[in-house]
Amino acid sequence: MSDAAPRLTKLAGVLLGAPLPLRIRAWDGSEAGPPGAPVLVVGHRRALRRLLWKPGELGLARGWVAGELDVDGDLYELLDALAGLLWEREPGLRTRTSLRDPKVRGALRSLASLAGPWPAPAPPPEESVRRSGPLHTRRRDQQAISHHYDVGNEFYERVLGPSMVYSCAYWREDGTLEEAQHEKLDLVCRKLGLREGDRLLDVGCGWGSMALHAAREYGARVTGVTLSREQAAYALKRVAEEGLADRVEIRVQDYRDVRDGPYDAISSIGMAEHVGSERYREYARTLHGLLHPGGRLLNHQIARPPEQDESAYRIDEFIDAYVFPDGELSPLGSTVTELERAGFEVRDVESIREHYALTLRAWVRNLEEHWERAVRLTSPGRARVWRLYMAASALGFERNHLGVNQILAVRTSATGDSSLPLRTREWT
């Protein structure tokens, strides 16, 4: 008898306290749910055991990464339909029921019966290993960065495209991803006021794109630091191919160990999310100490809305387990405050939230276009992680659940001189 989908749809309605906003296609070929709604494919009942064992986002993610859950149709539509179930800032359906309700307890028993024999399956191998000890030590940060970035440079080429820039691009209405990434790198250089011979420290230099642009287009002498050995090797190869070895140095080094300041400017693009709230003041003070008086910092960083009670903030389970281990997001106001406490004068903040949604959608298209190759380069599970996280993140930026900001800060001189023009937005 093929009735798994109708049963799941009915049980979900009881557990959520409202009709499931999805159509379900189950492992036995049955299908149920609102006509025309996004279709969630439950390819194996193991996915139900994962969800019962770990309700919410992480349980769903494990089923997705393992290939037990899939989508027939538009992934963005499916994620949009799920948003109200997973994001507490939406009218969360999960808050409408209680375990004290006999109907809810009965539905859970029925779901457990449908899920099959216990225990729950082990997490997919793509899940990061359980970590212990203090957050954001040098060793633990090295492990976290390796988990995310040492996936293989060729895989990143397929996702990011020729620019090899893994941060928010800066779009025009009719531009391409490559043009938008070039615009972003150039915007950073202009905000930093780079001139021929200036010393630039690029913190979290990735595959070297910012360092190369600053040296090639502005004549800067650049030091790029990263904790990823694969990134560093790739960047060094690019430096040599462009004949810029006399202007660009790439190091596998923690920013806390940089000792050859002062620099004229520092760029930190998409790196501060790895620092952590406990270490952010140290991060800000370290960068402040590495600048000349009058030197500029361009801090490009993802932000989240503030919580009513900041102590209630928790790192996203899926992102922590599969994407950025130990990554933390902070509200924009908190970041500005920490930079000011370190001695910086914050001179400009530009929100480019919509630009990141466009960037992520472009990366998802790249991944989908090169899907078979991406799977061969990593694993089916790893490719599925990236597709899910980038698509969900795109929606997060579009819905204002996430933001991204470029903060220009200055180490002023003892007399208060910022060395900035009167009209800063002209970026000259």
Side-chain angles (χ1 to χ4, degrees):
M1 183 176 180
S2 300
D3 65 347
R7 291 172 65 189
L8 282 173
T9 300
K10 182 179 179 180
L11 292 171
V14 174
L15 293 171
L16 296 172
L20 187 69
L22 303 169
R23 192 163 179 81
I24 290 181
R25 184 181 304 149
W27 60 90
D28 61 356
S30 62
E31 193 164 322
V39 179
L40 176 66
V41 179
V42 186
H44 200 288
R45 59 182 183 169
R46 278 193 303 267
L48 304 181
R49 298 204 294 276
R50 295 186 190 277
L51 191 55
L52 284 166
W53 183 256
K54 198 69 176 176
E57 186 174 292
L58 187 56
L60 286 169
R62 286 173 172 172
W64 172 271
V65 175
E68 298 153 4
L69 296 176
D70 209 337
V71 58
D72 182 3
D74 190 293
L75 177 58
Y76 295 103
E77 288 185 14
L78 178 77
L79 292 172
D80 228 7
L82 282 171
L85 311 180
L86 300 178
W87 292 343
E88 293 182 359
R89 291 184 183 86
E90 297 286 340
L93 299 179
R94 60 182 174 177
T95 64
R96 299 179 186 175
T97 59
S98 169
L99 289 176
R100 296 178 181 178
D101 187 334
K103 291 182 179 180
V104 172
R105 294 200 299 270
L108 285 171
R109 286 193 294 269
S110 297
L111 187 60
S113 175
L114 188 60
W118 290 81
E126 289 79 11
E127 189 164 315
S128 66
V129 297
R130 187 174 181 84
R131 304 174 299 281
S132 60
L135 283 169
H136 301 295
T137 61
R138 284 166 172 75
R139 177 180 176 82
R140 184 157 167 169
D141 281 351
Q142 175 77 59
Q143 293 170 340
I145 293 298
S146 179
H147 174 87
H148 186 74
Y149 292 104
D150 293 341
V151 176
N153 292 327
E154 191 176 346
F155 173 80
Y156 278 100
E157 287 178 336
R158 296 297 182 272
V159 175
L160 305 180
S163 71
M164 288 300 282
V165 179
Y166 185 36
S167 54
C168 177
Y170 198 62
W171 294 81
R172 297 183 185 274
E173 292 295 333
D174 56 353
T176 66
L177 175 62
E178 291 308 305
E179 291 168 344
Q181 291 293 14
H182 183 277
E183 289 274 342
K184 190 271 300 297
L185 296 176
D186 207 65
L187 178 66
V188 171
C189 290
R190 286 184 284 121
K191 286 183 175 182
L192 290 172
L194 291 181
R195 299 289 186 268
E196 180 79 29
D198 279 355
R199 295 191 71 209
L200 169 68
L201 175 63
D202 187 27
V203 178
C205 66
W207 294 273
S209 300
M210 175 63 194
L212 288 167
H213 187 92
R216 184 197 319 114
E217 305 296 332
Y218 288 84
R221 294 174 295 139
V222 189
T223 299
V225 296
T226 174
L227 293 179
S228 168
R229 295 187 181 280
E230 288 196 25
Q231 284 185 334
Y234 190 97
L236 284 167
K237 183 173 181 291
R238 295 176 74 190
V239 169
E241 289 173 348
E242 292 207 27
L244 290 170
D246 61 329
R247 287 187 174 271
V248 179
E249 179 186 9
I250 303 294
R251 306 174 188 164
V252 178
Q253 187 177 36
D254 192 296
Y255 74 93
R256 289 166 287 195
D257 296 327
V258 175
R259 298 285 186 268
D260 59 348
Y263 287 85
D264 300 294
I266 298 176
S267 54
S268 178
I269 306 173
M271 178 272 176
E273 297 87 342
H274 297 288
V275 171
S277 57
E278 294 181 4
R279 298 280 187 175
Y280 205 92
R281 193 166 302 177
E282 176 187 15
Y283 162 82
R285 287 174 175 169
T286 298
L287 299 191
H288 185 270
L290 285 168
L291 280 171
H292 278 297
R296 305 183 194 180
L297 165 69
L298 193 286
N299 192 78
H300 175 121
Q301 183 176 340
I302 298 172
R304 61 173 172 84
E307 302 282 354
Q308 291 296 326
D309 175 10
E310 276 296 311
S311 66
Y313 169 68
R314 296 291 181 270
I315 298 172
D316 180 279
E317 284 188 303
F318 166 61
I319 298 295
D320 188 51
Y322 286 97
V323 186
F324 293 106
D326 297 338
E328 294 181 49
L329 301 182
S330 296
L332 171 62
S334 299
T335 298
V336 169
T337 295
E338 290 300 339
L339 291 172
E340 290 179 331
R341 284 174 173 165
F344 281 107
E345 181 186 14
V346 173
R347 295 298 300 252
D348 186 81
V349 177
E350 182 177 5
S351 172
I352 53 175
R353 173 173 62 83
E354 293 87 352
H355 294 257
Y356 219 157
L358 293 170
T359 305
L360 285 155
R361 283 182 177 264
W363 289 343
V364 171
R365 286 194 297 273
N366 284 346
L367 177 59
E368 291 174 343
E369 288 172 4
H370 299 96
W371 183 258
E372 292 183 4
R373 181 61 176 164
V375 167
R376 288 197 298 271
L377 289 169
T378 53
S379 69
R382 180 65 62 195
R384 291 172 70 83
V385 165
W386 278 75
R387 186 179 178 220
L388 177 62
Y389 121 75
M390 291 192 299
S393 296
L395 290 175
F397 284 103
E398 288 169 358
R399 304 296 183 264
N400 196 25
H401 295 295
L402 295 169
V404 62
N405 306 283
Q406 288 193 349
I407 304 172
L408 180 68
V410 181
R411 176 175 178 171
T412 57
S413 71
T415 60
D417 181 19
S418 69
S419 300
L420 282 167
L422 289 176
R423 296 188 177 188
T424 310
R425 284 272 182 185
E426 294 179 0
W427 307 127
T428 56

